Every structure is written in C-alpha cells, then in structure tokens.
Amino acid sequence: MNSMKAQLMALALILIFTLRCNGGITSSFTRKPHPSIDMPFGSDVFKAPPGFNAPQQVHITQGDYEGKSVIVSWVTPKKTGSNLVLYGKANDKHKLISALAKVTTYKYYNYTSGFIHHCTLNDLEYNTKYFYKIGSEDSSRQFSFITPPEVGPDVPYTFGLIGDLGQTYDSNQTLEHYHSNPKGQAVLFIGDLSYADHYPLHDNRRWDSWGRFTERSAAYQTWIWCAGNHEMDFAPEIGETRLFKPYMHRYPVPYKASGSTSPLWYAIKRASTHIIVLSSYSAFGTYTPQYEWLQTELTKVDRTKTPWLIVIVHSPLYNTNNYHYMEGEGMRVMFESWFVENKVDIVLSGHVHSYERMERVSNIAYNISNKKCTPVKSEDAPVYLNLGDGGNIEGLAAEYIQPQPSYSAFRESSFGHGTLEIKNRTHAFYSWHRNDDGVRTVADSVWFYNRYHRPSE
Ligand SMILES: *[C@@H]1O[C@H](CO)[C@@H](O)[C@H](O)[C@H]1NC(C)=O
Ligand SMILES: *[C@@H]1O[C@H](CO)[C@@H](O)[C@H](O)[C@H]1NC(C)=O
Ligand SMILES: *[C@@H]1O[C@H](CO)[C@@H](O)[C@H](O)[C@H]1NC(C)=O
Ligand SMILES: *[C@@H]1O[C@H](CO)[C@@H](O)[C@H](O)[C@H]1NC(C)=O
Ligand SMILES: [Fe+2]
C-alpha cells in the first residue's frame, strides 16, 4: 500500500513538474570546454596586405535609405595615399567611374590611427555586380560586391546574423562558417565588434586587427552595423570621454538618409526588409532624440513595399540567461508596445554570449499598478533572437534561469551564427548554426511567418 502511495505521489509530482515547466528546449549539447582566447597579432588572418601603404581593413556598408549606394571604407597605415575609388560594373570593365573618399584620423590616448578613408558610391544599379579598386599602383587592391535588388514586397534576400564577434579562434570559426555559406548576401551585425577595450588603454591596434580579420567578408558584402557596449570605449581614467570614438571614425552608416541625427540609430530598406537599428547605450527615454526619431521612423514603414520589419538592438529585451539579466528592461518598457503595435517581425539582440530564440510574447499590458507582469503569447509580438554567440574573448554565458520560462523556445550556450532567408512577403526560413558542428550544420531552425502578411493557413 505504502509503496503504491509513494508511486502515486511521485507520478503527481512529475505531472506538476511537467505542467509547470512548459518552456521550450534547453539544448543538451555541451561544448568541450576551452578558453576563448584572442588570436595573437602575428596570426594569418591579421596579416597586412603586401605593398607599401597598401589599403587594409576594407569594408562596405549600405550608403542610403533604399540600397542604391554603398560606402567603401579602408585604412592606409603610413600616409594618406590615394583617396580614389575606381569602380564599374563587373561585366563592363572598360567603363570606370571614380569617386573621392574623405579621410579622417583620430587619436586615442597614445594611439594614433592610420588614415581612414570613407567613400560613398552613389546611383548604383540594383542587383548588379560591381568591382572596385583602391590604393595606388603596386599596392592597389581590387574587390567586388553585388548591390541588393530593388525594394519590393516579394524580393527574396538572405542575411547572415552575427553578434559579439571579437577576434578569438572561435570568432574565426564563426566568420569562416558564415563566409563559406554561399547563401548569405549581407550581414546584420548585432553589436560588439573588436573587443579592443578588453586590453590596457583599449589598445586600438585591436580595432585594426579586427578590421583586417573581417575584411574577407566585409569587403565583399554589406555589413549593417549596430553599436554595442564594447564600442563605447569610455575611459575617463586616460582622458577618453568621447563615447564611441573609434567605432564612429571607422564604421560610417547612412543615418542622415533616415532623418536620424546620430550614427547610433538609423534605418534602411533593403530588398523586402525595413531594418531599424537602435542604440542600447544612448538615451531613449521620452523626448530624447532616439525616441522621437523611432516614433517618426515607424510611421514611414510601408509593409506593402517592405513586408519584413526587423529591429536590431544590442542589449536583449528578453533573455533567460543569468548573465546581463534585465539590462534591456529599460528599453523594453519604452519601446515594446511600439514593436507589438507595429507588428515587428524580429528583434535581433546580442550581448548575452549564448544563443536563444523566444516565443512570440508580449508584456505590454503591464503597468506599475496593475501587476500584469507576466509575458503572454501574442501573435502581434516579434520573435526575439539572441545571437551574442560570435565567439569573443569573454567566453560563454552558460547559466540559465531554471526551469526554462515558457517564453523561451530554444536556448544553448554555444558559439555560432544565424541566417535569415526571406522567401517572399509571407515566409522566411531562419536557422542557427552551432560552430562545433562544422560548416553549415543547422542546430535550430524555424519558419517565420510575416506579422503583417500572414499566410492563410
Ligand atoms: C602607450 O603607452 C603604453 C603604456 O605606457 C606603452 O606600453 C605603449 O608602448 C605606448 N604606445 C605608443 C604607441 O606609444
Ligand atoms: C582562421 O580561419 C581560416 C579559415 O578557416 C584559416 O585559414 C586560418 O588559418 C585561421 N586562423 C587562425 C589564427 O586560426
Ligand atoms: C494600469 O492598468 C490598469 C489595469 O489594466 C488600468 O486600469 C489603468 O488605467 C492603467 N494605468 C495607467 C496610468 O495607464
Ligand atoms: C512563399 O514562400 C513559401 C516558402 O518558399 C512558399 O511555400 C509559398 O508558396 C510562397 N508564397 C507565394 C505566394 O509564392
Ligand atoms: Fe555586449
């Protein structure tokens, strides 16, 4: 009798536990423990190109609101050198156009940057391969890129999703896995680039090495930038109090095209997407420039032309890791209702060094007096993706809140990257690639159905 009673009780306990613990998947994958260490300066991926004063750290980004313009950036180490970009359509090599770069330098404590060039190539044709040439004579270098298709509701387009990359051996693996996947057409970078601030005096030579490291992808396809906390480079103890100084000198974005007054928040349209980039580390309260700008930008979104509305913001509004827990709460309070009301499809965040995908949940009913503080499922809510898993020197964030809350669909503490394959106005295929699995293996995937144009099923 007693043993039967015990069995029943055990069963009841299991039932209660199953009912309560209705979260998603906490992956059982465990990675071989090894420290995340930066590749040394002498590494192959940091090698400067041959030739005197040869252009290095080449990268491109979208230069306007709609994708007809590209900003080409590079650094020359010894002197200004040529500030010309010669470019043309790849199938018409005889017709060369030239554009002039602006050159800037900056100092950071006792570091002096090389000559940083930024050149905007305007009036490009859509969906066209261009080549471009920079530098002079024996140390000139040539690259190419493909412009995005014209903005339209059913234009397929594939983005790579990378966050918190850094420059460790793991970062190298992440970049290699993304780069070897021919599907990726542009990268949505979710903040925290070089982690130069990890070093004494924020050794800005680590900004240079990061630029050389990422060139193999960023010189050939557009990387859309978002600033994270490691871009602040705030170091009053050495007199460096201008926030985002190295980042803003090196990584220009087309913020004026969307009426923004700061490179830290802006928007672009690309193929079938409207992408809004926000800054977790700039004021966003009521009446602030970022708040006012976002409110206006959301009125400009036209889902009949760009069905997919994507927000990129470094610090996550939702995550169930113990690390950095609730750091994004201030922005959630300010902006979540706008995200739900405007049916944002996806919110991309990083910062927490692991991978997590949320269910579509909303916590906008909550106000400080009504106690409705539990996120509820909402078909209008975005999917929050946490891709702080690029592989930087700080290592993995491996401690999760237990049991897994119901709004967490999949979580795993591994390095990797994501891809978002937009097929048409209703369907996009999302997948996450764990580094330990080798190139292109999919560890988590799901179809996203557009929040504005819902498919009929
Ligand atoms: C900057 O100062 C640090 C610490 O004093 C020193 O190790 C480093 O060599 C200096 N760098 C330059 C470029 O002078
Ligand atoms: C980085 O990855 C590339 C591509 O796999 C490889 O050729 C290179 O040797 C790696 N470098 C380091 C320092 O691991
Ligand atoms: C707070 O929420 C309660 C319950 O939903 C609502 O009655 C009340 O008006 C809200 N307060 C404010 C100031 O919006
Ligand atoms: C959109 O793409 C999905 C996935 O490829 C496909 O099943 C669906 O039929 C497409 N819709 C239209 C209207 O073509
Ligand atoms: Fe971060």
Side-chain angles (χ1 to χ4, degrees):
M1 250 345 217
N2 265 350
S3 86
M4 181 133 150
K5 214 169 163 185
Q7 270 178 21
L8 275 173
M9 269 182 71
L11 193 68
L13 274 175
I14 288 167
L15 268 174
I16 288 166
F17 187 70
T18 330
L19 288 175
R20 274 208 183 153
C21 180
N22 57 348
I25 298 162
T26 300
S27 172
S28 59
F29 181 86
T30 41
R31 176 176 173 270
K32 271 190 284 149
H34 65 83
S36 298
I37 45 174
D38 271 356
M39 296 179 282
F41 274 129
S43 300
D44 49 4
V45 291
F46 296 151
K47 223 170 150 186
F52 173 73
N53 203 39
Q56 53 169 267
Q57 306 173 46
V58 184
H59 54 90
I60 61 170
T61 197
Q62 183 162 322
D64 64 353
Y65 202 36
E66 306 229 320
K68 285 186 78 171
S69 163
V70 164
I71 305 171
V72 178
S73 303
W74 73 94
V75 175
T76 49
K78 301 274 191 262
K79 56 178 200 168
T80 308
S82 166
N83 57 358
L84 272 187
V85 176
L86 287 175
Y87 66 103
K89 285 198 262 183
N91 61 7
D92 189 6
K93 292 213 175 192
H94 304 294
K95 210 165 142 223
L96 282 181
I97 311 163
S98 67
L100 223 49
K102 290 201 172 106
V103 184
T104 182
T105 59
Y106 73 91
K107 283 192 194 316
Y108 192 93
Y109 187 63
N110 66 352
Y111 166 93
T112 306
S113 75
F115 300 86
I116 306 171
H117 301 245
H118 302 300
C119 182
T120 307
L121 316 182
N122 286 318
D123 299 317
L124 302 172
E125 284 174 33
Y126 285 118
N127 208 11
T128 302
K129 183 167 185 175
Y130 283 86
F131 73 91
Y132 65 100
K133 203 171 147 183
I134 52 180
S136 38
E137 278 116 54
D138 54 337
S139 54
S140 77
R141 300 180 70 202
Q142 190 172 308
F143 304 88
S144 65
F145 59 80
I146 300 170
T147 51
E150 186 169 3
V151 167
D154 290 301
V155 182
Y157 204 76
T158 297
F159 291 102
L161 315 173
I162 303 176
D164 302 72
L165 185 57
Q167 45 193 302
T168 68
Y169 293 96
D170 296 298
S171 323
N172 195 35
Q173 218 176 26
T174 302
L175 188 63
E176 177 57 18
H177 289 192
Y178 171 65
H179 190 56
S180 66
N181 182 346
K183 283 185 189 162
Q185 293 170 282
V187 170
L188 303 180
F189 192 83
I190 317 167
D192 283 357
L193 287 67
S194 74
Y195 288 75
D197 62 352
H198 185 85
Y199 289 87
L201 308 172
H202 295 220
D203 190 347
N204 273 229
R205 292 174 306 160
R206 282 283 172 185
W207 273 106
D208 292 310
S209 58
W210 197 81
R212 293 194 291 270
F213 161 52
T214 48
E215 183 188 273
R216 74 179 188 262
S217 173
Y220 298 92
Q221 57 173 259
T222 286
W223 283 44
I224 307 296
W225 301 109
C226 166
N229 52 310
H230 290 280
E231 276 66 71
M232 286 194 280
D233 281 310
F234 179 63
E237 67 282 8
I238 52 170
E240 290 299 342
T241 53
R242 228 179 98 205
L243 287 178
F244 302 102
K245 191 205 260 182
Y247 171 72
M248 294 212 288
H249 275 89
R250 291 165 184 272
Y251 292 93
V253 297
Y255 65 99
K256 287 180 186 155
S258 57
S260 166
T261 50
S262 165
L264 300 169
W265 56 88
Y266 66 102
I268 58 161
K269 294 183 257 184
R270 195 168 179 91
S272 42
T273 64
H274 194 120
I275 298 163
I276 293 178
V277 177
L278 297 177
S279 173
S280 303
Y281 308 100
S282 307
F284 53 79
T286 317
Y287 317 123
T288 60
Q290 183 167 208
Y291 177 99
E292 301 274 337
W293 172 83
L294 177 58
Q295 194 167 36
T296 306
E297 184 62 25
L298 286 168
T299 67
K300 294 197 221 160
V301 177
D302 179 353
R303 303 294 274 277
T304 66
K305 297 202 172 70
T306 52
W308 296 91
L309 179 53
I310 299 170
V311 171
I312 310 176
V313 60
H314 183 64
S315 185
L317 277 59
Y318 285 94
N319 82 84
T320 69
N321 198 291
N322 284 336
Y323 205 55
H324 296 310
Y325 191 55
M326 288 179 76
E327 280 184 21
E329 189 65 3
M331 192 172 273
R332 192 194 63 72
V333 169
M334 292 311 301
F335 294 154
E336 185 185 15
S337 60
W338 290 358
F339 294 170
V340 176
E341 281 155 19
N342 288 280
K343 296 182 167 60
V344 168
D345 289 294
I346 301 161
V347 177
L348 294 169
S349 298
H351 197 44
V352 177
H353 299 156
S354 64
Y355 168 67
E356 188 163 11
R357 172 171 59 82
M358 299 295 160
E359 301 288 357
R360 293 192 184 278
V361 287
S362 154
N363 202 7
I364 64 174
Y366 172 65
N367 71 30
I368 205 160
S369 58
N370 69 9
K371 303 192 188 95
K372 291 183 184 168
C373 57
T374 310
V376 292
K377 288 217 167 161
S378 164
E379 286 302 307
D380 288 339
V383 167
Y384 295 86
L385 295 174
N386 240 105
L387 289 145
D389 55 352
N392 66 73
I393 196 166
E394 294 177 345
L396 284 163
E399 277 174 42
Y400 288 106
I401 293 161
Q402 304 293 358
Q404 186 167 14
S406 60
Y407 48 87
S408 168
F410 186 103
R411 56 188 193 176
E412 179 178 321
S413 153
S414 289
F415 294 130
H417 76 277
T419 48
L420 181 66
E421 300 171 39
I422 293 168
K423 305 292 185 191
N424 51 36
R425 76 186 67 190
T426 53
H427 286 64
F429 183 70
Y430 163 76
S431 50
W432 177 67
H433 312 255
R434 171 198 295 137
N435 279 358
D436 294 70
D437 285 343
V439 180
R440 257 185 284 162
T441 307
V442 173
D444 177 38
S445 68
V446 65
W447 280 96
F448 288 149
Y449 305 115
N450 190 273
R451 291 301 93 191
Y452 183 86
H453 302 274
R454 306 229 178 126
S456 47
E457 80 251 29

